[in-house]
């Protein structure tokens, strides 16, 4: 998933970012609420992880603004505040879940998995599009009895396409979804990645699903769906 992680304490921000990257997510790690708000309205995030107490704009305020704008991505709030009233305030602001500091990394990853799999397309750790199944547990694509192993980046692209069936996704959108803030992909990175993914799909009998839309981008266009 493409995740916006906002935490002003570097000793907590970097370990959480590293843990999320290790399991295959793309993470924009930001240290203040004002900058995070700018990013939140310029990228299509799958999940926001917000510290309650942030410089300039608090996590609660950011969540409220985000929801008022009609943004629907799940929000996980991190905070040292653990009273019932504090939890009510956070949830009423639009948060979907609440994790009390100090954060246990394993619990955080479990909460992230749960929030990220709320889409009806997901069943457990499997994303389905027609008969095609993408397995999070081992980064494989499966069609009937055939399977193919994906690299981490190929998996990220396949998940992004499958989450947006028949939607044209530009090079810029794909770069933002797959590369974190500060990373600079090579100019032909998306084109190369799409070619490699098409080759993987062909090995399991999936042909011509990824369509090139001239001067616009790519879309996954499964037949009979």
């Amino acid at each position: 998933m493409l995740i916006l992680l906002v935490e002003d304490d570097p000793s907590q921000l970097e370990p959480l970012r590293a843990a999320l990257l290790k399991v295959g997510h793309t993470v924009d790690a930001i240290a203040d609420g004002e900058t995070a708000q700018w990013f939140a309205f310029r990228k299509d995030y799958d999940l926001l992880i917000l510290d309650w107490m942030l410089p300039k704009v608090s996590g609660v305020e950011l969540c409220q603004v985000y929801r008022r704008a009609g943004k629907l991505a799940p929000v996980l709030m991190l905070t040292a505040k653990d009273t019932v009233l504090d939890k009510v305030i956070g949830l009423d602001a639009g948060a979907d879940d609440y994790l009390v500091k100090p954060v246990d990394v394993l619990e955080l990853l479990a909460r992230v998995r749960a929030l990220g799999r709320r889409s009806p397309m997901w069943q457990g750790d499997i994303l389905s599009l027609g008969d095609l199944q993408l397995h999070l547990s081992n980064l494989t694509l499966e069609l009937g009895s055939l399977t193919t192993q994906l690299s981490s980046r190929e998996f990220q692209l396949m998940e992004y396409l499958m989450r947006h069936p028949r939607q044209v996704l530009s090079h810029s959108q794909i770069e933002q979804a797959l590369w974190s803030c500060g990373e600079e992909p090579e100019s032909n990175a998306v084109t190369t990645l799409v070619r490699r993914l098409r080759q993987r799909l062909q090995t399991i009998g999936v042909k011509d699903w990824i369509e090139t839309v001239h001067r616009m981008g790519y879309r996954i266009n499964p037949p009979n769906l």
Side-chain angles (χ1 to χ4, degrees), residues 24-45:
H25 300 298
T26 303
V27 183
D28 287 339
I30 307 297
D32 72 87
E34 186 175 76
T35 304
Q37 184 170 308
W38 187 90
F39 272 88
F41 286 91
R42 283 161 179 79
K43 286 194 176 186
D44 185 18
Y45 289 101

Side-chain angles (χ1 to χ4, degrees), residues 138-216:
N138 55 12
L139 307 190
T140 59
L141 266 173
E142 178 180 302
L143 183 68
S145 61
L146 300 175
T147 63
T148 185
Q149 182 74 47
L150 303 180
S151 70
S152 176
R153 195 72 81 186
E154 291 165 355
F155 178 89
Q156 290 174 330
L157 176 58
M158 193 67 209
E159 178 182 2
Y160 188 49
L161 291 170
M162 290 177 72
R163 282 177 177 270
H164 302 85
R166 301 193 189 284
Q167 178 180 334
V168 178
L169 302 169
S170 69
H171 278 243
S172 177
Q173 286 176 300
I174 293 172
E175 286 180 353
Q176 289 179 2
L178 271 62
W179 280 270
S180 299
C181 173
E183 288 186 295
E184 292 294 336
E186 296 181 2
S187 59
N188 65 340
V190 172
T191 302
T192 301
L193 187 58
V194 169
R195 182 175 67 249
R196 281 170 29 202
L197 185 56
R198 281 174 168 154
Q199 292 171 346
R200 301 284 192 196
L201 286 165
Q202 288 176 1
T203 64
I204 58 172
V206 179
K207 297 181 180 179
D208 304 323
W209 277 37
I210 300 178
E211 177 185 356
T212 300
V213 182
H214 185 57
R215 293 187 177 179
M216 295 181 66

Side-chain angles (χ1 to χ4, degrees), residues 104-118:
D104 180 89
V105 171
L106 291 179
E107 183 177 5
L108 173 75
L109 295 177
R111 300 288 184 95
V112 167
R113 287 195 299 272
L115 290 170
R117 303 299 174 253
R118 287 188 172 182

Side-chain angles (χ1 to χ4, degrees), residues 74-90:
V75 174
L76 173 60
M77 195 73 71
L78 308 180
T79 179
K81 299 173 179 288
D82 60 355
T83 69
V84 172
L85 179 58
D86 292 325
K87 293 179 181 180
V88 169
I89 291 172

